[in-house]
Amino acid sequence: DGGITQSPKYLFRKEGQNVTLSCEQNLNHDAMYWYRQDPGQGLRLIYYSQIVNDFQKGDIAEGYSVSREKKESFPLTVTSAQKNPTAFYLCASGTGEDYGYTFGSGTRLTVV
Amino acid sequence: KQEVTQIPAALSVPEGENLVLNCSFTDSAIYNLQWFRQDPGKGLTSLLLIQSSQREQTSGRLNASLDKSSGRSTLYIAASQPGDSATYLCAVRTGGFKTIFGAGTRLFVKA
């Protein structure tokens, strides 16, 4: 079955450490997105990519980085510059403006 | 700037009741509106997608309507069940691959 796989499900980061969240899709979607979800707030866009080897900053890109070397993969790195990284991270994919989004199951990142 | 608001933030109803969740947006220039369901600690599951040219979409006990001129969408759930308990989010797709999400309505259906 087609879908989006995020890993790991839970991730713990020490202060000053970079961590990478994985997102893989087999839906053949061109566009992929990373969102951050905090309690009581709507999803906020971190980065998005419309095609391979191209990506754009979203509303809260500071302290994060991404790459898009393959159509299927869009990993997100949370760097030590992100001062408040504890949150639920969601990856999504889509194709064309007339179509909706498909989401992965999320990664919960906690700073320890 | 597009803003999406969902009211109420939380709702508790007895099993079997029909209910309506509301989503309002400030800019009527949208491509589509999508309703999602989110269970605790899980990702978002798409329920219904309404294109800007459509007035409503139906899936089983769910019916979503769209009124662009008034900036409103409603999600109607018929004969609610305890399994419907979740957070429901609406998302408005604007131009340039931009989508704005509401903060969601947390629904609790009591058995």
Side-chain angles (χ1 to χ4, degrees):
Chain A
D1 287 337
I4 299 181
T5 301
Q6 288 188 242
S7 61
K9 189 175 178 64
Y10 299 97
L11 187 58
F12 298 90
R13 192 195 92 167
K14 296 180 180 179
E15 294 285 349
Q17 191 178 46
N18 292 353
V19 292
T20 297
L21 285 60
S22 172
C23 178
E24 304 275 336
Q25 56 102 356
N26 60 4
L27 299 165
N28 200 33
H29 285 170
D30 294 313
M32 296 186 74
Y33 310 82
W34 275 105
Y35 286 90
R36 170 179 170 142
Q37 187 177 36
D38 295 282
Q41 297 189 37
L43 276 66
R44 292 184 290 169
L45 182 63
I46 305 172
Y47 268 98
Y48 66 100
S49 169
Q50 299 177 31
I51 57 173
V52 175
N53 292 322
D54 186 53
F55 47 83
Q56 286 78 42
K57 294 182 178 179
D59 301 318
I60 56 167
E62 185 175 351
Y64 300 97
S65 66
V66 293
S67 64
R68 187 87 186 275
E69 297 177 0
K70 299 186 301 181
K71 187 175 184 178
E72 300 80 17
S73 178
F74 192 40
L76 173 74
T77 296
V78 184
T79 74
S80 57
Q82 172 50 239
K83 297 308 178 187
N84 185 24
T86 294
F88 192 51
Y89 291 86
L90 288 159
C91 179
S93 70
T95 182
E97 291 175 326
D98 292 338
Y99 298 91
Y101 285 10
T102 300
F103 278 84
S105 57
T107 292
R108 184 164 300 280
L109 174 62
T110 304
V111 175
V112 296
Chain B
K1 177 184 174 185
Q2 179 74 270
E3 294 181 0
V4 179
T5 303
Q6 292 187 247
I7 295 174
L11 180 64
S12 181
V13 300
E15 181 178 7
E17 189 164 299
N18 301 327
L19 60 101
V20 174
L21 305 181
N22 296 295
C23 173
S24 62
F25 47 95
T26 55
D27 187 346
S28 62
I30 68 172
Y31 280 88
N32 57 53
L33 186 146
Q34 193 168 4
W35 281 93
F36 294 90
R37 168 187 173 135
Q38 185 177 31
D39 293 290
K42 306 293 186 183
L44 276 65
T45 300
S46 180
L47 298 174
L48 290 164
L49 174 68
I50 310 177
Q51 300 298 340
S52 63
S53 59
Q54 297 175 323
R55 297 283 293 182
E56 64 178 340
Q57 283 285 336
T58 299
S59 176
R61 294 183 294 110
L62 306 180
N63 176 276
S65 67
L66 175 64
D67 184 343
K68 282 199 314 178
S69 61
S70 66
R72 291 190 60 194
S73 176
T74 60
L75 178 66
Y76 174 83
I77 302 176
S80 59
Q81 304 170 357
D84 295 330
S85 297
T87 297
Y88 292 81
L89 296 95
C90 68
V92 172
R93 184 81 174 260
T94 62
F97 287 85
K98 189 83 169 174
T99 296
I100 309 299
F101 288 80
T105 294
R106 181 176 292 182
L107 174 66
F108 180 62
V109 181
K110 298 172 289 186

